[in-house]
Amino acid sequence: MQIPPEEGQFLGFLVRALGVKKALEVGCFTGYSSTAIALALPDDGKLWACEKDQRFMSVSAKTWENAGVSHKIHQCLGPALETMKGLIKDHNHTFDFIFIDADKKGYEAYYEQALSLVRDGGVIALDNTLYRGQVAYQEPAPTVEENMHKRSTVQHIRALNAKLHLCFSPPHTPHTHTHTHTQTRSRRSEERQIGRSFPVLWLV
């Protein structure tokens, strides 16, 4: 959902420090995080903002207009995964910065598509990877719908964190108790990263 003010400041700091001119956001909600990114972009910088909900896109558009950054933003209404796949043809490995903050079930798929969009030396940032510390807690008993949804969300985040750890760990590091399907997907990610250099940031 909406990021806290200090994270917005951090995103702006990253964009300025990295000299970002081309960015992508997955999940707009109210437009707060995209505004923080767009404000830090140079005047000729561009941000592709992906949002599947028309209501949230409309709210975001008003936020961008009020902040004076509408001219920097490409509105991409629709499922973000489809948008990202469509961008690969003309924008393969050209994005300086990609921020993912959408449905946690889709995080792994968004990350996989981001690999084809981020440039060498660019940054992929993922929000909620600690999920308020709950990835380290014992899972709640799924007695009510809310807890079942929370458990599913935590499981998806844990799976992605484990995958990223496997992908970016030194080759000699032993990995135990890792499911075969996770290893297979991680090896595919590793193959796509060979010869490339870019950091992945885990944001709380």
Side-chain angles (χ1 to χ4, degrees), residues 13-203:
F13 166 77
L14 283 176
V15 170
R16 287 187 292 270
L18 295 166
V20 173
K21 294 189 67 175
K22 187 173 182 179
L24 172 70
E25 179 181 65
V26 180
C28 296
F29 192 38
T30 64
Y32 182 78
S33 54
S34 47
T35 297
I37 294 171
L39 285 170
L41 289 171
D43 197 57
D44 60 343
K46 294 295 180 183
L47 169 66
W48 278 252
C50 303
E51 175 56 58
K52 67 178 181 180
D53 193 312
Q54 177 64 69
R55 297 170 301 168
F56 293 150
M57 183 64 85
S58 297
V59 172
S60 297
K62 292 180 180 178
T63 303
W64 301 328
E65 183 179 358
N66 291 336
V69 296
S70 297
H71 65 289
K72 298 182 182 180
I73 297 176
H74 290 294
Q75 297 184 30
C76 304
L77 180 63
L81 199 59
E82 294 181 11
T83 298
M84 296 174 81
K85 290 178 179 178
L87 287 172
I88 290 175
K89 179 180 179 181
D90 296 322
H91 302 274
N92 190 43
H93 300 319
T94 61
F95 283 90
D96 305 305
F97 183 76
I98 297 176
F99 179 54
I100 300 173
D101 184 15
D103 59 296
K104 307 307 176 275
K105 183 177 181 179
Y107 259 36
E108 182 176 350
Y110 298 141
Y111 168 72
E112 289 292 341
Q113 293 304 314
L115 291 177
S116 297
L117 293 169
V118 69
R119 66 167 175 81
D120 286 356
V123 169
I124 301 173
L126 301 106
D127 195 30
N128 301 126
T129 51
L130 299 183
Y131 204 63
R132 307 181 193 91
Q134 292 180 38
V135 293
Y137 298 160
Q138 183 177 358
E139 295 178 359
T143 55
V144 296
E145 184 177 351
E146 181 181 0
N147 278 345
M148 291 178 67
H149 173 73
K150 183 182 294 184
R151 186 173 76 164
S152 176
T153 298
V154 170
Q155 288 174 337
H156 285 297
I157 296 174
R158 283 176 176 167
L160 178 61
N161 287 342
K163 175 178 181 175
L164 293 176
H165 174 72
L166 184 61
C167 288
F168 290 95
S169 295
H172 65 275
T173 301
H175 301 287
T176 59
H177 308 297
T178 304
H179 296 298
T180 301
H181 70 278
T182 301
Q183 290 178 320
T184 301
R185 289 198 301 266
S186 297
R187 282 197 295 270
R188 290 172 184 164
S189 294
E190 286 181 303
E191 291 170 359
R192 297 170 67 185
Q193 295 165 13
I194 293 175
R196 304 186 62 212
S197 174
F198 58 88
V200 175
L201 299 181
W202 287 265
L203 304 177

